[in-house]
Amino acid sequence: MKKHTALFFAASLCFLACSKSQELQKLDGLKSSLATATATGTVYYVDPDGNDSNAGTSDSNAWKTIAKVNTMTFSPGDQILFKSGGVWNDTLRPKGSGSAGQPIIIDKYGGEARPVINGGGKVNNSKTLLLNRVSFWEVNNLEITNTVPAGTTYAATGIMVDGGNEATPSSNITIKNCYVHDVNAAKDFQTNFVKGTGGIIIAGKTDDVLVQSCHIKNCAVEGMRTVGTGKNIVFDNNLLEYIYGDGIVMAGATGGCKVTHNTVYKACMNTNSYNYAGIWTVKSKNTLVAYNEVYGMTGGGGNDGMAFDADGYDANSPTDGDIFEYNYSHDNNGGFMLFMYNSHNITVRYNVSVNDIGTTGKKKLFLFNGSTNNNHQIYNNVFYIINPGGTIFHSAPYGTYSNNIIYAASTATGLTLCRGDNGQSIPLTTQSRFYNNDLYPGSVFTAFNWGTATRSNNFYDDPRFVNPGTGIGFPVANGYNIGDTSRCRNAGIFIANNGGIDFAGNSLPTSGNPDVGAFQHAVISQAGSSLADAYVRDGSYAGTNYGADSLLVVKSDATSYARRSYLKFNFNQVGTASVNAANLSIYCAGTGMTNTVKIYSTAGKTWAENAITWNNAPKDTTLVGQVTVNAAGWYNMDVTSAVNRELQAGSKTVSLLLMNTGPFNSNGYMTFYSKEAPGNKPVLQLTY
């Protein structure tokens, strides 16, 4: 059954749905700029059973060796095709450059199996495939190894693109669907160790590089990285596993660079003090890190081992404006994220982190390594903490934290807010700001020493995740969506330039209050003039109208002090006989004690906001439900049955009554914002 989500309030607004597919379209646009046109050059064939004396221009007249290929200088549109399943023990260093629309292509022919090229690691700093100072190349469907012989420690790399230091960078290089494995370069503290070695390395000055759908396994030192400078470098949809050092590093990125849709598993496998991370950026400008899954980090050194890192380790390596969004991080012993001191304006949003405080080392979720920049924005994330003895922050955090859910499971005993290298708890400073976060359970988070940090509108309710758990794949992360009755619904603070979509691709609001957490259930705007609401008061005030008040009051008390509130919504645009869900979201401005609000529908719907009083208010009510109110904040009330009754009766209007039916109590009041309030107005959300 097709579902639609709509909001009904004063003036009808229409929002165009934005989805993850739009992000993919943006990436496809960049890929198309690197795509090949129909080649018009010469096609060359290479077969282990061929002969280097052949012309090499047909499969029956193929060359035999890579040495022969290395003697050639290729031209735009040429293709070099290796026999499917063939094996060569050599290193490939092709020469020549293609041109726009006519790249030089390396690929396979004659079957599904990839050709295998074993570099052999025979000399220090070897590369099995080296594209050296060339442009407009495509490399597809190769299997690459570079295994250094036992007893020797050499630097080694599987595939390297080296733009050198030329005035014109190497550009328009594409590497797709390659399997790079068993590259055992010298490791840290070994002879000939070079960190920029491993699976696929992009070095020197390079622009417009795409590495896509490759599998990198059992490699040292790095999985995939840049070690030079460049723009429009994209690492997309790659699988990296069992990597000794870093999974993916984007270094020297000058604009348009992306790390997207990759899976990094069991990187940071070192057990010594050398620091590595899952995915990180350094000396980077406006790099996008999105839709990646990072898990199973167990090593990474004394400080690192986390899923993500916005680096900047010295004055010459600033990282500025990078965005980390829509990622799923889980089961990483070293934590979720590191901010180095020379990182600036970093945005971390709409990510899901599960079990990213480990059981050894610093046991931290975030690490701030000397960072004093307070312009980082960390918002609308989910952090689910499982292991005991951890800390949320190692060293004093800097930045603004908004609309996040930080959930400490019952197993996460001994959790601290922030501690230093000596293991002692330290208070936060004014450089940290916390707005509209759900910090659960309150018994843990209210006991923390928040120091002088700015805090506003944070709350401590169970977020009511729909199916929280641990496991592999983005469907597991979707279990950290929030339920219909979660207080996180509509409880966030609006943030401009928020990316437009949530973790699951749902549209975000263009104004009003978003949901707290990584999932958005409704596009919310302020209620308008077609919504009627007012409270009424009994006794000597029974004839007084309060329709212009900015508050709705609910109170159980003696005569002349009791109050009830009425709200009315129209939903003329609904064309179905029923809705799947209807929720009234209403903001409590204050309460004197824990109270229960009962929600009724009224058969009478003709009351007017500027005329309703206790004396003429409808009394023909049907109980719909109830909600417990214990603090200021948003509350969601399920009114599905009331809306469906109206629809089945042919009506497109619902009238609701809020009452406290408990014992009289002078503190038994609750105040809610009405449509006359400057913000946080009531909203009826329908899903149908």
Side-chain angles (χ1 to χ4, degrees):
M1 179 179 182
K2 188 175 181 180
K3 293 186 177 180
H4 309 269
T5 299
L7 292 176
F8 297 86
F9 34 83
S12 298
L13 295 177
C14 180
F15 296 90
L16 295 176
C18 188
S19 69
K20 188 181 293 185
S21 63
Q22 292 172 301
E23 291 300 313
L24 293 172
Q25 289 167 9
K26 294 177 185 176
L27 181 60
D28 288 341
L30 183 138
K31 294 172 190 172
S32 66
S33 71
L34 298 169
T36 59
T38 302
T40 59
T42 303
V43 179
Y44 298 96
Y45 297 83
V46 190
D47 184 336
D49 295 326
N51 190 311
D52 287 345
S53 298
N54 293 336
T57 52
S58 69
D59 58 355
S60 61
N61 198 26
W63 294 332
K64 179 181 180 69
T65 68
I66 285 177
K68 175 66 176 181
V69 177
N70 289 341
T71 66
M72 302 293 292
T73 298
F74 296 96
S75 300
D78 286 352
Q79 298 183 54
I80 307 140
L81 305 182
F82 289 87
K83 181 67 177 291
S84 172
V87 178
W88 290 264
N89 298 305
D90 205 343
T91 58
L92 178 60
R93 288 170 169 76
K95 297 183 290 291
S97 287
S99 62
Q102 291 197 358
I104 301 170
I105 298 172
I106 297 176
D107 211 328
K108 63 181 174 64
Y109 77 95
E112 293 301 317
R114 295 183 180 95
V116 180
I117 304 177
N118 299 310
K122 299 172 184 177
V123 297
N124 187 39
N125 202 27
S126 64
K127 298 98 177 172
T128 300
L129 169 58
L130 173 63
L131 296 177
N132 187 28
R133 294 168 173 79
V134 297
S135 295
F136 294 98
W137 279 78
E138 285 193 6
V139 178
N140 306 307
N141 301 306
L142 296 183
E143 181 174 346
I144 299 286
T145 73
N146 200 5
T147 306
V148 176
T152 304
T153 58
Y154 283 155
T157 296
I159 298 175
M160 175 175 281
V161 177
D162 190 350
N165 196 31
E166 307 298 328
T168 301
S170 292
S171 66
N172 293 275
I173 308 293
T174 298
I175 302 169
K176 288 185 178 180
N177 197 34
C178 290
Y179 178 31
V180 181
H181 61 100
D182 293 295
V183 179
N184 60 338
K187 302 176 179 65
D188 37 70
F189 308 114
Q190 290 183 338
T191 302
N192 296 317
F193 166 68
V194 177
K195 192 173 186 182
T197 56
I200 297 178
I201 306 297
I202 312 300
K205 293 182 178 179
T206 52
D207 293 342
D208 302 298
V209 176
L210 173 64
V211 181
Q212 187 178 53
S213 302
C214 292
H215 183 187
I216 301 176
K217 182 178 181 180
N218 293 331
C219 287
V221 174
E222 309 282 76
M224 178 185 299
R225 72 168 294 156
T226 58
V227 292
T229 60
K231 63 184 179 181
N232 300 324
I233 299 172
V234 175
F235 297 154
D236 178 64
N237 196 40
N238 301 288
L239 169 62
L240 300 96
E241 55 182 343
Y242 301 101
I243 307 300
Y244 177 82
D246 300 304
I248 298 175
V249 183
M250 187 67 77
T254 60
C257 296
K258 300 180 182 182
V259 180
T260 53
H261 305 97
N262 302 286
T263 299
V264 177
Y265 169 61
K266 282 195 176 297
C268 309
M269 295 181 67
N270 67 309
T271 57
N272 55 32
S273 61
Y274 211 96
N275 291 314
Y276 299 103
I279 298 176
W280 58 285
T281 60
V282 62
K283 201 175 184 180
S284 167
K285 181 74 171 178
N286 299 329
T287 294
L288 176 67
V289 179
Y291 302 113
N292 303 287
E293 181 175 6
V294 182
Y295 66 106
M297 309 294 111
T298 56
N303 290 324
D304 290 18
M306 62 284 296
F308 303 104
D309 168 12
D311 215 282
Y313 50 81
D314 62 18
N316 297 317
S317 61
T319 295
D320 191 355
D322 290 358
I323 298 175
F324 295 76
E325 63 184 5
Y326 315 126
N327 299 291
Y328 175 36
S329 165
H330 59 99
D331 304 298
N332 296 303
N333 191 69
F336 172 71
M337 189 152 188
L338 163 65
F339 294 89
M340 288 293 286
Y341 90 92
N342 206 3
S343 59
H344 307 261
N345 304 301
I346 306 301
T347 298
V348 181
R349 65 189 180 198
Y350 289 97
N351 302 284
V352 175
S353 164
V354 179
N355 195 32
D356 278 338
I357 292 181
T359 57
T360 61
K362 286 184 166 60
K363 302 181 184 178
K364 77 287 184 186
L365 187 66
F366 288 94
L367 174 63
F368 284 77
N369 195 339
S371 176
T372 58
N373 299 306
N374 62 7
N375 45 20
H376 303 314
Q377 292 281 341
I378 299 93
Y379 61 88
N380 284 101
N381 303 284
V382 171
F383 303 107
Y384 192 89
I385 302 168
I386 296 175
N387 289 323
T391 185
I392 297 172
F393 302 108
H394 186 94
S395 298
Y398 290 76
T400 302
Y401 302 78
S402 306
N403 305 343
N404 301 290
I405 299 174
I406 307 179
Y407 187 110
S410 60
T411 52
T413 56
L415 183 68
T416 62
L417 180 62
C418 184
R419 63 187 178 215
D421 286 334
N422 61 3
Q424 298 299 307
S425 177
I426 56 177
L428 304 192
T429 70
T430 55
Q431 301 301 312
S432 300
R433 299 166 294 276
F434 296 84
Y435 303 124
N436 297 68
N437 300 284
D438 186 2
L439 310 171
Y440 183 81
S443 58
V444 172
F445 286 90
T446 57
F448 287 155
N449 181 2
W450 292 87
T452 57
T454 300
R455 295 185 292 156
S456 176
N457 292 324
N458 301 292
F459 54 98
Y460 308 96
D461 289 37
D462 186 339
R464 301 184 183 276
F465 295 127
V466 296
N467 187 27
T470 59
I472 301 168
F474 274 67
V476 176
N478 290 336
Y480 291 87
N481 203 337
I482 54 174
D484 291 342
T485 60
S486 173
R487 188 175 168 188
C488 294
R489 297 284 289 271
N490 313 337
I493 185 172
F494 181 76
I495 298 172
N497 302 314
N498 55 20
I501 56 175
D502 73 349
F503 184 87
N506 301 311
S507 296
L508 297 178
T510 57
S511 61
N513 298 92
D515 293 349
V516 169
F519 296 87
Q520 177 65 41
H521 278 75
V523 179
I524 299 166
S525 184
Q526 293 179 352
S529 58
S530 67
L531 170 67
D533 56 29
Y535 75 88
V536 298
R537 186 171 178 177
D538 72 344
S540 57
Y541 302 92
T544 303
N545 172 258
Y546 297 94
D549 202 290
S550 63
L551 293 174
L552 300 172
V553 187
V554 178
K555 188 177 184 183
S556 175
D557 207 347
T559 302
S560 294
Y561 294 96
R563 297 167 179 83
R564 301 172 180 174
S565 291
Y566 289 83
L567 303 96
K568 184 162 54 175
F569 294 88
N570 295 320
F571 37 92
N572 291 326
Q573 294 180 0
V574 176
T576 59
S578 64
V579 298
N580 293 326
N583 282 283
L584 170 64
S585 294
I586 192 166
Y587 189 88
C588 177
T591 181
M593 56 184 289
T594 298
N595 292 287
T596 298
V597 176
K598 290 190 175 180
I599 307 103
Y600 299 83
S601 62
T602 71
K605 302 186 291 290
T606 59
W607 56 270
E609 182 180 80
N610 61 357
I612 188 172
T613 68
W614 186 280
N615 289 333
N616 63 24
K619 307 295 193 297
D620 45 353
T621 62
T622 301
L623 180 65
V624 176
Q626 64 182 39
V627 64
T628 299
V629 176
N630 54 19
W634 283 99
Y635 290 87
N636 294 293
M637 306 176 184
D638 186 351
V639 295
T640 308
S641 61
V643 170
N644 281 338
R645 273 195 300 271
E646 296 297 338
L647 287 171
Q648 291 160 12
S651 169
K652 297 295 182 71
T653 301
V654 65
S655 173
L656 302 171
L657 164 63
L658 306 183
M659 289 178 56
N660 183 352
T661 60
F664 291 172
N665 192 310
S666 60
N667 291 319
Y669 70 89
M670 291 157 283
T671 57
F672 301 91
Y673 286 140
S674 73
K675 77 176 185 68
E676 283 73 27
N680 295 340
K681 303 180 182 188
V683 174
L684 179 65
Q685 175 196 326
L686 305 180
T687 302
Y688 62 99

PDB file of all heavy atoms in Angstrom, residues 41-61:
ATOM      1  N   GLY A  41      40.734   4.198 -30.848  1.00  0.00           N
ATOM      2  CA  GLY A  41      42.135   3.815 -31.001  1.00  0.00           C
ATOM      3  C   GLY A  41      42.286   2.339 -31.312  1.00  0.00           C
ATOM      4  O   GLY A  41      41.362   1.650 -31.756  1.00  0.00           O
ATOM      5  N   THR A  42      43.464   1.809 -31.030  1.00  0.00           N
ATOM      6  CA  THR A  42      43.803   0.416 -31.297  1.00  0.00           C
ATOM      7  C   THR A  42      43.539  -0.427 -30.065  1.00  0.00           C
ATOM      8  O   THR A  42      43.813  -0.023 -28.940  1.00  0.00           O
ATOM      9  CB  THR A  42      45.286   0.296 -31.691  1.00  0.00           C
ATOM     10  OG1 THR A  42      45.531   1.136 -32.821  1.00  0.00           O
ATOM     11  CG2 THR A  42      45.659  -1.130 -32.030  1.00  0.00           C
ATOM     12  N   VAL A  43      43.002  -1.645 -30.283  1.00  0.00           N
ATOM     13  CA  VAL A  43      42.776  -2.592 -29.194  1.00  0.00           C
ATOM     14  C   VAL A  43      43.922  -3.603 -29.198  1.00  0.00           C
ATOM     15  O   VAL A  43      44.185  -4.257 -30.223  1.00  0.00           O
ATOM     16  CB  VAL A  43      41.427  -3.314 -29.348  1.00  0.00           C
ATOM     17  CG1 VAL A  43      41.236  -4.312 -28.205  1.00  0.00           C
ATOM     18  CG2 VAL A  43      40.283  -2.314 -29.387  1.00  0.00           C
ATOM     19  N   TYR A  44      44.606  -3.722 -28.054  1.00  0.00           N
ATOM     20  CA  TYR A  44      45.711  -4.660 -27.898  1.00  0.00           C
ATOM     21  C   TYR A  44      45.314  -5.767 -26.923  1.00  0.00           C
ATOM     22  O   TYR A  44      44.642  -5.505 -25.913  1.00  0.00           O
ATOM     23  CB  TYR A  44      46.963  -3.947 -27.374  1.00  0.00           C
ATOM     24  CG  TYR A  44      47.491  -2.878 -28.315  1.00  0.00           C
ATOM     25  CD1 TYR A  44      47.145  -1.543 -28.143  1.00  0.00           C
ATOM     26  CD2 TYR A  44      48.332  -3.232 -29.367  1.00  0.00           C
ATOM     27  CE1 TYR A  44      47.632  -0.565 -29.002  1.00  0.00           C
ATOM     28  CE2 TYR A  44      48.827  -2.259 -30.235  1.00  0.00           C
ATOM     29  CZ  TYR A  44      48.463  -0.924 -30.048  1.00  0.00           C
ATOM     30  OH  TYR A  44      48.937   0.035 -30.906  1.00  0.00           O
ATOM     31  N   TYR A  45      45.746  -6.999 -27.215  1.00  0.00           N
ATOM     32  CA  TYR A  45      45.406  -8.165 -26.402  1.00  0.00           C
ATOM     33  C   TYR A  45      46.677  -8.743 -25.787  1.00  0.00           C
ATOM     34  O   TYR A  45      47.736  -8.791 -26.434  1.00  0.00           O
ATOM     35  CB  TYR A  45      44.723  -9.228 -27.259  1.00  0.00           C
ATOM     36  CG  TYR A  45      43.396  -8.766 -27.835  1.00  0.00           C
ATOM     37  CD1 TYR A  45      43.352  -8.008 -29.004  1.00  0.00           C
ATOM     38  CD2 TYR A  45      42.202  -9.082 -27.206  1.00  0.00           C
ATOM     39  CE1 TYR A  45      42.147  -7.572 -29.532  1.00  0.00           C
ATOM     40  CE2 TYR A  45      40.981  -8.652 -27.728  1.00  0.00           C
ATOM     41  CZ  TYR A  45      40.964  -7.901 -28.890  1.00  0.00           C
ATOM     42  OH  TYR A  45      39.767  -7.475 -29.401  1.00  0.00           O
ATOM     43  N   VAL A  46      46.548  -9.200 -24.542  1.00  0.00           N
ATOM     44  CA  VAL A  46      47.679  -9.804 -23.840  1.00  0.00           C
ATOM     45  C   VAL A  46      47.210 -11.129 -23.252  1.00  0.00           C
ATOM     46  O   VAL A  46      46.198 -11.172 -22.527  1.00  0.00           O
ATOM     47  CB  VAL A  46      48.211  -8.881 -22.717  1.00  0.00           C
ATOM     48  CG1 VAL A  46      49.526  -9.431 -22.171  1.00  0.00           C
ATOM     49  CG2 VAL A  46      48.391  -7.454 -23.207  1.00  0.00           C
ATOM     50  N   ASP A  47      47.948 -12.220 -23.574  1.00  0.00           N
ATOM     51  CA  ASP A  47      47.548 -13.572 -23.186  1.00  0.00           C
ATOM     52  C   ASP A  47      48.807 -14.322 -22.748  1.00  0.00           C
ATOM     53  O   ASP A  47      49.837 -14.270 -23.447  1.00  0.00           O
ATOM     54  CB  ASP A  47      46.900 -14.256 -24.397  1.00  0.00           C
ATOM     55  CG  ASP A  47      46.360 -15.647 -24.101  1.00  0.00           C
ATOM     56  OD1 ASP A  47      46.835 -16.294 -23.154  1.00  0.00           O
ATOM     57  OD2 ASP A  47      45.464 -16.087 -24.840  1.00  0.00           O
ATOM     58  N   PRO A  48      48.783 -15.007 -21.599  1.00  0.00           N
ATOM     59  CA  PRO A  48      49.975 -15.772 -21.189  1.00  0.00           C
ATOM     60  C   PRO A  48      50.447 -16.762 -22.254  1.00  0.00           C
ATOM     61  O   PRO A  48      51.623 -17.157 -22.266  1.00  0.00           O
ATOM     62  CB  PRO A  48      49.512 -16.498 -19.918  1.00  0.00           C
ATOM     63  CG  PRO A  48      48.390 -15.674 -19.401  1.00  0.00           C
ATOM     64  CD  PRO A  48      47.705 -15.108 -20.600  1.00  0.00           C
ATOM     65  N   ASP A  49      49.545 -17.153 -23.153  1.00  0.00           N
ATOM     66  CA  ASP A  49      49.918 -18.077 -24.227  1.00  0.00           C
ATOM     67  C   ASP A  49      50.231 -17.347 -25.537  1.00  0.00           C
ATOM     68  O   ASP A  49      50.376 -17.981 -26.592  1.00  0.00           O
ATOM     69  CB  ASP A  49      48.792 -19.086 -24.468  1.00  0.00           C
ATOM     70  CG  ASP A  49      48.573 -19.991 -23.260  1.00  0.00           C
ATOM     71  OD1 ASP A  49      49.571 -20.313 -22.588  1.00  0.00           O
ATOM     72  OD2 ASP A  49      47.408 -20.331 -22.985  1.00  0.00           O
ATOM     73  N   GLY A  50      50.316 -16.017 -25.469  1.00  0.00           N
ATOM     74  CA  GLY A  50      50.609 -15.241 -26.664  1.00  0.00           C
ATOM     75  C   GLY A  50      52.094 -15.188 -26.958  1.00  0.00           C
ATOM     76  O   GLY A  50      52.900 -15.966 -26.422  1.00  0.00           O
ATOM     77  N   ASN A  51      52.477 -14.230 -27.812  1.00  0.00           N
ATOM     78  CA  ASN A  51      53.882 -14.094 -28.221  1.00  0.00           C
ATOM     79  C   ASN A  51      54.160 -12.610 -28.428  1.00  0.00           C
ATOM     80  O   ASN A  51      53.432 -11.924 -29.146  1.00  0.00           O
ATOM     81  CB  ASN A  51      54.133 -14.862 -29.522  1.00  0.00           C
ATOM     82  CG  ASN A  51      55.612 -14.967 -29.854  1.00  0.00           C
ATOM     83  OD1 ASN A  51      56.348 -13.978 -29.824  1.00  0.00           O
ATOM     84  ND2 ASN A  51      56.058 -16.178 -30.185  1.00  0.00           N
ATOM     85  N   ASP A  52      55.232 -12.139 -27.802  1.00  0.00           N
ATOM     86  CA  ASP A  52      55.544 -10.717 -27.898  1.00  0.00           C
ATOM     87  C   ASP A  52      55.954 -10.293 -29.309  1.00  0.00           C
ATOM     88  O   ASP A  52      56.018  -9.093 -29.612  1.00  0.00           O
ATOM     89  CB  ASP A  52      56.653 -10.348 -26.909  1.00  0.00           C
ATOM     90  CG  ASP A  52      56.155 -10.346 -25.477  1.00  0.00           C
ATOM     91  OD1 ASP A  52      54.924 -10.353 -25.280  1.00  0.00           O
ATOM     92  OD2 ASP A  52      56.995 -10.332 -24.551  1.00  0.00           O
ATOM     93  N   SER A  53      56.208 -11.259 -30.164  1.00  0.00           N
ATOM     94  CA  SER A  53      56.519 -10.927 -31.555  1.00  0.00           C
ATOM     95  C   SER A  53      55.256 -10.650 -32.362  1.00  0.00           C
ATOM     96  O   SER A  53      55.336 -10.147 -33.492  1.00  0.00           O
ATOM     97  CB  SER A  53      57.302 -12.068 -32.211  1.00  0.00           C
ATOM     98  OG  SER A  53      58.535 -12.275 -31.554  1.00  0.00           O
ATOM     99  N   ASN A  54      54.102 -11.001 -31.801  1.00  0.00           N
ATOM    100  CA  ASN A  54      52.837 -10.768 -32.491  1.00  0.00           C
ATOM    101  C   ASN A  54      52.517  -9.279 -32.533  1.00  0.00           C
ATOM    102  O   ASN A  54      53.059  -8.473 -31.767  1.00  0.00           O
ATOM    103  CB  ASN A  54      51.695 -11.504 -31.788  1.00  0.00           C
ATOM    104  CG  ASN A  54      51.832 -13.002 -31.904  1.00  0.00           C
ATOM    105  OD1 ASN A  54      52.478 -13.505 -32.827  1.00  0.00           O
ATOM    106  ND2 ASN A  54      51.206 -13.719 -30.974  1.00  0.00           N
ATOM    107  N   ALA A  55      51.568  -8.926 -33.376  1.00  0.00           N
ATOM    108  CA  ALA A  55      51.116  -7.535 -33.452  1.00  0.00           C
ATOM    109  C   ALA A  55      50.285  -7.145 -32.238  1.00  0.00           C
ATOM    110  O   ALA A  55      50.171  -5.962 -31.897  1.00  0.00           O
ATOM    111  CB  ALA A  55      50.306  -7.323 -34.732  1.00  0.00           C
ATOM    112  N   GLY A  56      49.687  -8.147 -31.608  1.00  0.00           N
ATOM    113  CA  GLY A  56      48.906  -7.886 -30.404  1.00  0.00           C
ATOM    114  C   GLY A  56      47.548  -7.285 -30.660  1.00  0.00           C
ATOM    115  O   GLY A  56      46.848  -6.902 -29.716  1.00  0.00           O
ATOM    116  N   THR A  57      47.092  -7.230 -31.914  1.00  0.00           N
ATOM    117  CA  THR A  57      45.861  -6.510 -32.237  1.00  0.00           C
ATOM    118  C   THR A  57      44.642  -7.411 -32.403  1.00  0.00           C
ATOM    119  O   THR A  57      43.586  -6.954 -32.842  1.00  0.00           O
ATOM    120  CB  THR A  57      46.066  -5.688 -33.511  1.00  0.00           C
ATOM    121  OG1 THR A  57      46.583  -6.534 -34.552  1.00  0.00           O
ATOM    122  CG2 THR A  57      47.037  -4.540 -33.251  1.00  0.00           C
ATOM    123  N   SER A  58      44.771  -8.685 -32.043  1.00  0.00           N
ATOM    124  CA  SER A  58      43.613  -9.578 -32.011  1.00  0.00           C
ATOM    125  C   SER A  58      43.845 -10.627 -30.945  1.00  0.00           C
ATOM    126  O   SER A  58      44.979 -10.873 -30.527  1.00  0.00           O
ATOM    127  CB  SER A  58      43.395 -10.241 -33.377  1.00  0.00           C
ATOM    128  OG  SER A  58      44.430 -11.164 -33.652  1.00  0.00           O
ATOM    129  N   ASP A  59      42.767 -11.295 -30.524  1.00  0.00           N
ATOM    130  CA  ASP A  59      42.932 -12.295 -29.466  1.00  0.00           C
ATOM    131  C   ASP A  59      43.718 -13.505 -29.959  1.00  0.00           C
ATOM    132  O   ASP A  59      44.300 -14.245 -29.165  1.00  0.00           O
ATOM    133  CB  ASP A  59      41.569 -12.707 -28.897  1.00  0.00           C
ATOM    134  CG  ASP A  59      40.627 -13.275 -29.951  1.00  0.00           C
ATOM    135  OD1 ASP A  59      40.990 -13.276 -31.140  1.00  0.00           O
ATOM    136  OD2 ASP A  59      39.525 -13.690 -29.568  1.00  0.00           O
ATOM    137  N   SER A  60      43.749 -13.717 -31.263  1.00  0.00           N
ATOM    138  CA  SER A  60      44.538 -14.836 -31.803  1.00  0.00           C
ATOM    139  C   SER A  60      45.968 -14.433 -32.137  1.00  0.00           C
ATOM    140  O   SER A  60      46.772 -15.269 -32.550  1.00  0.00           O
ATOM    141  CB  SER A  60      43.855 -15.383 -33.069  1.00  0.00           C
ATOM    142  OG  SER A  60      43.776 -14.367 -34.067  1.00  0.00           O
ATOM    143  N   ASN A  61      46.242 -13.149 -31.939  1.00  0.00           N
ATOM    144  CA  ASN A  61      47.574 -12.633 -32.271  1.00  0.00           C
ATOM    145  C   ASN A  61      48.086 -11.776 -31.110  1.00  0.00           C
ATOM    146  O   ASN A  61      48.657 -10.711 -31.306  1.00  0.00           O
ATOM    147  CB  ASN A  61      47.478 -11.806 -33.560  1.00  0.00           C
ATOM    148  CG  ASN A  61      48.824 -11.601 -34.223  1.00  0.00           C
ATOM    149  OD1 ASN A  61      49.750 -12.395 -34.056  1.00  0.00           O
ATOM    150  ND2 ASN A  61      48.939 -10.508 -34.972  1.00  0.00           N
TER     151      ASN A  61
END
